[in-house]
Structure formats: C-alpha cells, structure tokens
C-alpha cells in the first residue's frame, strides 16, 4: 500500500546529474516507525553512577513507548477530538450523493450523515495541467546530448553509428517520432497521436547535433527538438557548438523545433538570485525569438534542477511547457512544467512501453449484471488465479476496518473482495482514510483525496461505477477531486476509488516500463495479489492469486484468462476473497485465518438469487419468521442460531448481556437493517461480532423495541425516560441506560419490524435492458 516516488537507478555524473529529491509524503502502504538503536545503551560501563542510569533508562523507554502509542493513536483517529459515533448501516435511500470538504478531520463524522452536503466548487482549469485522459498514453521523450563521429569525449556522448541504430530500432518497433508541438497538443488538450509516439530531444546546442544528428534526422524524416543555451551558440568551449546561421537553416527546413535552455547553462537554477534567474529565462527566450523570427514556447531545466520558485519563474517568463531529467513517460508527468524524459540509455525501455491514446474517447464497459456469479480457478504459467465473475457490483467504505466477510454478511452480498489502498497500514490501526477520492454505495458521500496523497497518485486508475457501467480513467487531481468534476466523466456515478495501477488495458498486458511509471513501490514484490477487472463478455471480475507474484507477472497472466481490463487492488496481507461465507483466499498462510481488516470492500451480488427472494423494494415474507435474521449468517451457524432464538421466542431462554454466539450476531444484523431503514447512524459500530454488549442494549432502546405498554417484560432494566439525542443531524441518540436482557417480547417486536424493513443490500435488482444470450459468448468492446 505504499505510494512513494521511485527514484531512477541510472549512473549520475555532473552533466547528467539528477535533481536533489525533495521530501516525499510518507508511503501509504508501509509502516516506517524508526527505532533508536538499543545497542548504545547495552554496553558495559565501568563508570560511577551506573545504578542511577540503570533505573533511568527503563523509565525513559517506557515514557517513549507511551508517547509513541499516544501519537500513533492520534494519527489513526485524526478526528478523535470531534468524533461522533458512526455506523456501517447508512441510510439506504437512492438520493443524490453528498460530498465532504477537503478537511479530512471531519470526514468520518460527516460521511455517515443522511443530509446532503454542498458540492465542492469547481476550480478554473489550470493551463499547465495535463489533460485528464493522457494518463492512458505512454509517450516517451528521449534525451540526447552531443552526437560525435566515432570518439566519445564523455560517457553521455552518442556516436553517429549508435544514433543510427537507435533510429532503426525505433522504426522496427513501429514507433513514430513526433514534433514537440504535437506532444504539447496531446498533453494539454488530449489530441490524438500515432499509436506509438515518441519525442526526440537534444540538449546543449553541440555542433555534432548539426553535423551528425541532423543528417540522420533528415534521412529517417524524424522530427526532433533542440534545447539551446544562447550564450554558447557558435562559441567553442570544451566542445564546439553550432552557429546561429546553422540554427536558422535547420529552423527554416522545419524538421527541428528549437526551445530554450537558458543563457549560460547554470548547473542549478535554484541557487540563482531572482534577477539572475529572470535573465537566464527571459533573455534566452527573447534572443532566440529575435534570431528565428517566431515564438519560443518550450524550455528545459539545466541538469533538471528546479523548485517551486524556479517553476513559477519559468511560468512567468511565458513558457508553455518545460522538460526535466526525471525518468518516465510524458503522460505520467506531474504537470506541463515538469515533463519527464528518458535518457538515451533507456531507449529500449521507452520504445517497448510506448503506447498512445488514439482518441479523446473515454473508455467504458457496459456490464452484464444478470449473469449468476461464477467461481473459476485457473493455472497458467505456474500461477494459480481464483476469480469470481458476473453479478452487480457495489463498494463499501466502512467507518473503520473490518474483515471482508463481516461486510459481506452485513450487506447481504454473495461475494466480496478487499478494496483499494488506505492510509496508515499498521495492523492495529483503525483509520478508514483512503488514498485518493472515494465514494461508496453504503454512504453515498464523496470524500476528496488528501493533497499529500494526490501528488503521488496522479495517473493511477480511477475506478468509476455507474448504472451497470464501469470505467477506468487515469486520475488527475487537478480535475477529478470534486463530485461535480467526476460527474462530467460519468453523470450517474455511484461508486469510485483509486486503484494501485493498471495491469491490463484493451486486452493487452502493461509492460514493466509502463508498470514502473505508476511508482507503486510494492508492485515488484512477490505476494498474494488482488485485482478487479472486466472480461471480454462484459462480466465484472474480482480475483486473487493463490501464488505469490509481482505485478509484472500478474499482468501477463490475466489477458490469457479473457480479462479485457484490470487494475491492482490492495494486496499482501489485505488479500481476501469471500464467496457465500467461505474464505476462498486470504493473505495469510492458513486458509481459515481471515485477512487483516480493511476499510474498503468490493461486493458482488448475484441478481438471480435476489430475484428468488424478492427485490429491495419489498422482500417476500419467508414462512419462518426467524429466517429474516438467520439467513444472513454463515450456513454452519444457522442451525444453532435457530435453536437459540426459537427457545427465546418460546420463553424458555433469554439473551443476556455478556452472552456470545451466532444468535447474538443474528440479532445484531437485524438491528443494523432496522436502523438503516429508520435513518439511524452510530448504532452497532463494532459490527455483528456475536457479543451482547452495551451497544446492542442501547440499539434496542433507540429503535423503540423495549417500549410495550400492553405486555410485561422479563427485563428489569427498561428505561422510564426518553434518551437524549446528540447534537447534529443524523446522529444516533445518546443513551445512558441500556437493556441487559432480550426476551420473547423484544425479539417478537424486532422480527415484526425487520420483516417490514428493506434488506441491507446495496444494489437494485431492476435491469436497465434485457439480458443477452451469453451462450454465444459475444465479445464485448468498450463503449465510446
């Protein structure tokens, strides 16, 4: 679940020096608690005062531990000072989604209210933001320096023979060089490019670029961009440079586009005072425009060094796009003023990964939701995958972390899989904060991503679920961090979250270079993997690997199983696949051990099974009244639960505070459904854990199940006063008393009300169109 930036591993020399890394936000998927070495305190000492120190050190360690524990708890519950009770069973109305502000400290309290919150105001379009869909493209830009005849003076020189080999490799791979103007139009407006496009760039105005590179460019008819430092034009230094006349000739012939590279090529623009920085940026642009007779709109940072001040100065100087030396595809760049480039030594990686968005169409898949769920195990290339296909999908964003099976049972789904990546991945944490924006069917509240996370996950797959439509689009935090903005992509969106990376697109696996561009540090690790996708028949696919694999291996396997598009979900210890109360896969070694609790789950509903029992608008009353409670329990628990609850109804037994077992869990599930139908939140936040505690007794009172003036009760703890509600809409009433005993009268009232309440399922059973004849297995293609 880590989201840290990966640094390149190529050699670093003065000319090719990479920029000094800036502090990155803490990785979202790894614990980074650093412990001070104990060895320094564990050495023998021959000095006096040893006895006092012996007592001081344990006390110091204890105080440090308590401080760390308190700090960790505070991080895990960022809203501890204002936290209101929250509950999984949010109102099941089908109204418009609400939204919460960027202040994530209010998210957990606000997201479970039933009142709609104001939609975030859309910000003006940033002229330096990448088009939202260019993250679907992998357009490399290659950086060369001097091109020499045969003898290299420095390691980053390229001989003319080597450059010819590069151009031949580009041609044989079917990759098409484009102009810098074409790249700008693509990145800024989403204009289409050839299927495999590449930009060739040359830095520093060396004479060899005119004498050796330019003839090859004309021979192959390849456009390129030359970045020029104006003080060196025609001036010999340790290397010769082309003249203004030669530069004007190339410019007239149109194959080479010229862009600025400062006046004197200072090694680090960040070290310059404001006046010198402005001169380097403005004067170089002015002189080139004077000599060439047209606008100079693009720039490259010397040695890639920049910071926020330098970027603002580049923007103020009038440049529309600027290039760095950060490795990666251009479509995965942070913005137009920090466009990434590969150096010439990574040409193979660049051309293998090259893939271009063909049009501005937003790919979407129309799902065949009426198909019964199908469990399928496949062994391919020594990798075992386990998938569940079909049905209608919904997501749950819980108030804290739960086992997947708990949420599958709570919301009466047929199957479920762990969802996407979340913050603070420590095992004992309870935070429900997700990485990136999220909206789920259980709450219908849009929660924007945190800025510190959004800066890292740009370009990762944003999953959009609508009315039987599924879309995967590259996440752009500048244009996709409010509900209004996302509804422009999918007006009927009901669920959304950000995945880890793409594994398969258009039936083709992503290459290692493309996978690496997402900068997901855990992608290379071998672990159980979880994924979500859609197959060629239009069926949702939720799956896991029973074999430990990395993302690259998984990407090559999935298309062979018929999967058309797939993304990576949270993996490792979070991996969990549940079907009909059975643990099919777990992130642990023992199959019977549930995976670690998670706050985000993807549920699958088998519509034919829902049709057999009725629709969410009114289930048929089962002949056995107890069936409304025990049907949500695992099959192996239903018999014992029925026996206990039957004994309660006959007056032979009661459930008391402290009792445990499946019968108590059945009561809790019934109370959760009843609370949802009444719009009550904050009840039973611990979930159906099978323990009769204070929360269950309070829920009985809040829901009015203990008030009966016509019959006596065996309970001796019935309240005589109405509970006092908490301040704030949609919150659960605060009660200071609770019911110690659940007897026949209370259970009868619960059964009567549960049978009239809608079930806790999060999907509708209504079809928007007639189901197709899947016996012909038609191939489904993305919608435009």
């Amino acid at each position: 679940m880590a989201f840290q930036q990966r640094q390149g591993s190529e050699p670093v020399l003065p000319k090719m020096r990479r920029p000094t890394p800036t502090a990155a936000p803490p990785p979202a998927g790894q614990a980074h608690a650093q412990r001070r070495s104990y060895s320094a305190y564990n050495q023998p000492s021959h000095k006096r005062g040893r006895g006092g120190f012996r007592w001081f050190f344990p006390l110091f360690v204890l105080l440090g531990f308590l401080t760390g524990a308190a700090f960790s708890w505070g991080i895990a519950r960022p809203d501890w000072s204002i936290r209101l009770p929250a509950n999984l069973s949010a109102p099941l109305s089908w109204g418009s989604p609400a939204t919460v502000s960027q202040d994530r400290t209010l998210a957990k309290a606000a997201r479970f209210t039933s009142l709609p919150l104001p939609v975030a105001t859309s910000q003006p379009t940033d002229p330096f933001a990448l088009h939202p869909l260019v993250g679907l493209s992998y357009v490399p830009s290659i950086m060369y320096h001097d091109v020499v005849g045969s003898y290299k003076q420095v390691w980053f020189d390229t001989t003319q023979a080597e450059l010819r080999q590069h151009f031949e490799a580009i041609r044989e791979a079917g990759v098409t060089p484009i102009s810098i103007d074409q790249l700008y139009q693509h990145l800024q407006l989403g204009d289409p490019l050839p299927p495999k496009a590449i930009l060739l760039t040359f830095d520093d105005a060396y004479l060899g670029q005119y004498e050796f590179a330019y003839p090859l460019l004309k021979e192959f008819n390849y456009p390129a961009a030359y970045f020029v430092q104006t003080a060196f034009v025609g001036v010999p230094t340790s290397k010769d440079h082309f003249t203004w006349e030669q530069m004007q000739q190339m410019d007239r012939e149109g194959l080479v586009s010229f862009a600025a590279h400062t006046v004197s090529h200072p090694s680090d623009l960040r070290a310059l005072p404001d006046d010198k920085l402005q001169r380097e940026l403005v004067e170089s642009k002015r002189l080139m425009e004077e000599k060439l007779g047209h606008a100079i709109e693009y720039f490259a940072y010397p040695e890639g060094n920049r910071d926020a001040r330098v970027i603002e100065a580049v923007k103020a100087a009038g440049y529309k796009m600027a290039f760095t030396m950060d490795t990666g595809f251009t479509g995965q760049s942070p913005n137009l003023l920090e466009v990434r480039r590969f150096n010439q030594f990574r040409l193979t990686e660049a051309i293998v990964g090259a893939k271009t968005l063909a049009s501005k169409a937003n790919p979407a898949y129309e799902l065949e939701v009426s198909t019964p769920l199908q469990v399928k195990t496949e062994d391919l290339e020594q990798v075992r995958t386990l998938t569940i296909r079909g049905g209608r999908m919904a997501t749950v964003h819980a108030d804290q972390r739960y086992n997947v099976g708990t949420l599958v049972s709570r919301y009466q789904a047929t199957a479920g899989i762990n969802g996407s990546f979340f913050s603070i991945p420590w095992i004992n944490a309870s935070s429900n904060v997700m990485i990136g924006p999220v909206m789920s069917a259980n709450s219908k509240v849009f929660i924007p991503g945190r800025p510190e996370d959004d800066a890292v996950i740009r370009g990762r797959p944003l999953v959009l679920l609508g009315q039987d439509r599924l879309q995967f689009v590259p996440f752009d935090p500048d244009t996709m961090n409010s509900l209004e903005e996302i509804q422009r992509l999918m007006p009927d969106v009901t669920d959304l979250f950000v995945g880890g990376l793409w594994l398969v697109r258009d039936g083709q696996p992503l290459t290692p270079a493309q996978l690496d561009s997402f900068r997901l540090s855990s992608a290379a690790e071998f672990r159980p993997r979880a994924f979500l996708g859609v197959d060629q028949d239009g069926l949702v696919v939720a799956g896991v690997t029973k074999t430990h694999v990395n993302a690259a291996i998984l990407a090559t396997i999935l298309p062979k199983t018929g999967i058309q598009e797939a993304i990576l979900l949270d993996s490792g210890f979070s991996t969990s696949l549940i079907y009909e109360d059975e643990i099919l896969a777990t992130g642990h070694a023992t199959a019977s051990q549930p995976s670690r609790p998670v706050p985000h789950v993807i549920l699958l509903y088998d519509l034919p099974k829902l049709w057999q029992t009725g629709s969410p608008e009114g289930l048929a009353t089962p002949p056995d009244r107890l069936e409304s409670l025990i049907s949500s329990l695992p099959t192996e628990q239903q018999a014992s639960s029925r026996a206990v609850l039957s004994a309660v109804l006959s007056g032979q037994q009661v459930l008391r505070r402290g009792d445990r077992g499946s019968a108590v869990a059945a009561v809790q599930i019934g109370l959760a459904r009843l609370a949802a139908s009444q719009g009550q939140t904050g009840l039973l936040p611990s979930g159906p854990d099978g323990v009769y505690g204070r929360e269950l007794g309070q829920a009985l009172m809040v829901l009015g199940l203990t008030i009966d003036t016509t019959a006596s009760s065996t309970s001796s703890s019935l309240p005589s006063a109405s509970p006092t509600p908490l301040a704030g809409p949609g919150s659960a009433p605060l009660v200071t008393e609770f019911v110690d005993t659940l007897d026949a009268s209370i259970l009868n009232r619960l059964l009567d009300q549960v049978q009239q309440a809608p079930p806790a399922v999060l999907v509708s059973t209504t079809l928007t169109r007639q189901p197709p004849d899947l016996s012909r297995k038609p191939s489904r293609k993305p919608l435009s």
Side-chain angles (χ1 to χ4, degrees):
M1 293 167 290
F3 287 82
Q4 65 196 47
Q5 298 280 351
R6 295 172 62 93
Q7 302 297 326
S9 58
E10 63 271 13
V12 179
L13 289 180
K15 186 63 180 176
M16 300 292 290
R17 186 165 67 246
R18 298 174 63 84
T20 302
T22 57
Q30 300 177 356
H32 284 266
Q34 299 182 357
R35 298 174 175 82
R36 189 175 181 181
S37 173
Y38 179 71
S39 61
Y41 298 104
N42 202 27
Q43 303 297 325
S45 173
H46 302 287
K47 297 183 179 182
R48 294 191 175 185
R50 177 179 177 184
F53 182 78
R54 184 177 62 217
W55 291 106
F56 169 77
F57 178 67
L59 179 61
F60 177 78
V61 171
L62 178 61
L63 290 175
F65 174 79
L66 294 175
T67 302
F71 179 72
S72 300
W73 183 85
I75 293 178
R77 294 178 177 269
D79 54 349
W80 60 271
S81 62
I82 60 168
R83 189 171 188 263
L84 297 176
N87 179 38
L88 289 174
S89 301
L92 295 177
S93 63
W94 298 96
S96 301
T99 182
V100 300
S101 69
Q102 287 281 359
D103 186 358
R104 293 297 290 260
T105 62
L106 300 177
K108 282 181 74 173
R111 68 183 299 278
F112 290 97
T113 64
S114 58
L115 297 180
L117 301 175
V119 176
T121 303
S122 179
Q123 298 298 320
T125 302
D126 182 356
F128 299 99
L130 272 65
H131 188 275
L133 295 182
V134 298
L136 296 170
S137 294
Y138 297 88
V139 180
S141 175
I142 301 296
M143 174 182 60
Y144 294 95
H145 286 79
D146 197 8
V147 180
V148 298
S150 57
Y151 175 72
K152 294 184 179 183
Q153 290 180 276
V154 291
W155 66 273
F156 49 83
D157 283 348
T158 304
T159 68
Q160 189 177 36
E162 288 175 336
L163 188 61
R164 176 179 291 278
Q165 291 176 347
H166 286 194
F167 286 2
E168 290 174 346
I170 289 172
R171 183 170 58 190
E172 291 174 2
V175 179
T176 304
I178 59 173
S179 70
I180 193 171
D181 288 327
Q182 285 179 285
L183 179 66
Y184 174 78
Q185 292 294 114
H186 173 72
L187 296 180
Q188 208 266 339
L189 300 176
D191 284 1
L193 291 174
K196 294 182 178 180
I198 190 172
L199 175 67
L200 305 175
T201 69
F202 296 79
D203 288 10
D204 298 343
Y206 293 113
L207 180 60
Q209 296 171 4
Y210 175 79
E211 291 184 339
F212 301 111
Y214 187 53
L216 284 177
L217 290 171
K218 291 194 292 184
E219 178 184 339
F220 284 82
N221 195 30
Y222 285 173
Y226 282 13
F227 293 103
V228 177
Q229 63 270 37
T230 54
F232 288 9
V233 176
V235 177
T237 57
S238 59
K239 282 178 170 286
D240 292 334
H241 298 81
F242 53 68
T243 65
W244 285 110
E245 290 75 16
Q246 292 167 331
M247 183 174 171
Q248 289 166 346
Q249 173 200 341
M250 291 186 285
D251 186 65
R252 284 194 305 270
E253 294 176 357
L255 200 59
V256 173
S257 301
F258 289 93
H261 201 34
T262 71
V263 174
S264 62
H265 199 285
S267 61
D268 194 345
L269 294 177
R270 298 170 297 183
L272 299 183
D274 289 345
D275 57 339
K276 292 185 177 180
L277 174 62
Q278 183 180 19
R279 177 182 176 275
E280 291 287 345
L281 301 176
V282 175
E283 181 61 21
S284 58
K285 186 177 190 294
R286 184 201 64 77
L287 184 57
M288 290 182 67
E289 291 177 341
E290 177 185 310
K291 294 288 187 179
L292 299 178
H294 59 73
I296 299 298
E297 299 176 313
Y298 310 120
F299 177 80
Y301 302 95
E303 301 189 22
N305 292 322
R306 80 277 182 195
D307 58 14
R309 181 179 71 98
V310 172
I311 293 174
E312 285 299 317
V314 170
K315 185 187 305 183
Y319 296 104
K320 299 194 303 185
M321 183 166 63
F323 290 77
T324 70
M325 292 171 61
D326 296 351
T327 300
F329 293 93
T330 58
Q332 283 70 48
S333 303
N335 52 68
L336 286 173
L337 295 177
E338 295 179 279
V339 179
R340 296 168 176 163
R341 291 191 286 177
F342 291 92
N343 66 44
Q344 74 268 35
F345 302 105
R346 304 183 73 163
L347 176 68
T348 300
E349 178 183 355
I351 62 178
V352 168
K355 184 178 180 181
T356 310
L357 176 67
S359 69
K360 294 183 181 180
N362 184 25
Y365 292 90
E366 188 174 353
L367 303 176
E368 302 300 346
V369 297
S370 60
T371 305
L373 295 188
Q374 310 162 11
V375 180
K376 189 174 184 180
T377 302
E378 295 177 271
D379 292 300
L380 292 170
E381 299 181 10
Q382 298 182 334
V383 175
R384 173 164 292 185
T385 61
L386 183 61
T387 59
I388 302 177
R389 307 186 185 214
R392 181 169 273 165
M393 186 175 82
T395 66
V396 171
H397 183 202
D399 64 322
Q400 57 185 39
R401 302 181 189 181
Y402 298 85
N403 290 323
V404 174
T406 298
L407 297 179
V408 169
S409 176
R410 169 63 63 90
Y411 292 106
Q412 297 181 252
T414 309
I417 190 171
N418 60 283
S420 197
F421 296 78
F422 51 92
S423 183
I424 314 178
W426 305 329
I427 296 294
N428 61 347
S430 62
S431 169
N432 74 337
V433 176
M434 300 296 294
I435 302 298
V438 62
M439 186 168 72
S440 59
N442 67 310
S443 67
K444 302 189 183 302
V445 175
F446 177 85
I447 302 177
R450 301 183 300 180
E452 61 268 29
D453 295 332
D454 292 347
V456 183
I457 62 175
R458 180 187 296 272
R460 293 190 181 178
L462 174 66
V463 181
L464 303 178
L465 178 64
Q467 183 64 32
D468 300 339
R469 290 168 59 89
L470 184 61
Q471 297 184 26
F472 304 91
V473 298
F475 174 60
D476 178 10
D478 299 320
T479 61
M480 299 180 185
N481 216 10
S482 75
L483 182 58
E484 182 182 46
E485 292 167 336
I486 290 177
Q487 285 175 332
R488 294 183 184 136
L489 299 174
M490 180 184 282
D492 61 339
V493 62
T494 58
D495 302 67
L496 63 92
F497 62 91
V498 177
L501 49 76
W502 259 286
L503 294 164
V504 181
R505 281 202 59 79
D506 300 327
Q508 299 296 320
L510 268 70
T511 66
Q514 292 171 341
L515 293 171
D516 187 61
S517 70
F518 292 104
R519 287 164 169 74
L520 179 64
S521 63
S522 62
E525 299 175 3
F526 282 76
R527 54 173 64 177
R529 295 287 173 179
F531 55 90
L532 175 73
V534 59
D535 69 10
Q536 58 193 4
D537 294 324
L539 304 180
V540 171
V541 182
V544 300
T545 63
K546 302 287 282 187
T547 310
H548 288 224
V549 296
N550 61 17
I553 294 175
L554 181 59
T556 62
I557 295 297
L558 295 184
K560 299 176 183 179
T561 68
I563 290 179
Q564 189 73 11
E565 191 154 358
I567 65 158
L568 187 69
L569 300 174
D570 192 11
S571 297
F573 287 121
S574 295
T575 304
S576 181
L577 187 64
I578 306 295
Y579 180 74
E580 292 187 339
D581 303 318
E582 179 184 356
I583 299 176
L584 298 184
T586 177
H588 297 291
T590 304
S592 61
Q593 182 179 5
S595 295
R596 70 170 170 182
V598 294
H600 189 251
V601 171
I602 299 167
L603 302 179
L604 295 176
Y605 289 89
D606 194 317
L607 291 188
K609 289 187 177 180
L610 289 179
W611 291 333
Q612 292 174 5
T613 57
S615 68
E617 289 74 21
L619 284 179
T621 303
D624 184 355
R625 297 177 71 235
L626 289 176
E627 191 67 22
S628 60
L629 294 184
I630 65 174
S631 60
S632 298
L633 293 174
T635 304
E636 64 273 12
Q637 297 179 8
Q638 291 184 7
S640 60
S641 175
R642 182 181 288 105
V644 172
L645 294 180
S646 296
V648 172
L649 286 178
S650 64
Q652 300 175 8
Q653 186 176 339
V654 294
L655 294 178
R656 291 187 173 86
R657 185 184 181 200
D659 285 350
R660 298 172 179 268
S662 58
V664 178
V667 171
Q668 289 172 314
I669 292 174
L671 289 173
R673 285 180 52 192
L674 183 57
S677 68
Q678 295 185 7
Q680 295 282 2
T681 62
L683 295 178
L684 302 169
S686 62
D689 53 9
V691 178
Y692 191 152
R694 183 184 185 94
E695 293 168 347
L696 188 149
Q698 288 181 336
L700 291 171
M701 295 177 58
V702 169
L703 297 173
L705 298 172
T706 61
I707 302 174
D708 185 6
T709 57
T710 61
S712 60
S713 173
T714 59
S715 173
S716 59
S717 305
L718 297 181
S720 57
S722 300
T724 303
L726 281 172
S731 60
L734 174 65
V735 295
T736 57
E737 299 180 83
F738 52 93
V739 180
D740 276 325
T741 304
L742 185 149
D743 59 11
S745 62
I746 296 177
L747 181 56
N748 270 301
R749 285 192 289 274
L750 174 60
L751 292 173
D752 290 340
Q753 295 194 32
V754 167
Q755 289 176 358
Q756 299 174 8
V761 295
L762 298 177
V763 297
S764 168
T765 58
T766 303
L767 292 182
T768 58
R769 64 185 187 281
Q770 286 294 100
D773 181 8
L774 294 182
S775 62
R776 299 182 179 179
K777 296 185 178 297
S779 177
R780 305 292 303 178
K781 295 183 178 181
L783 300 174
S784 296

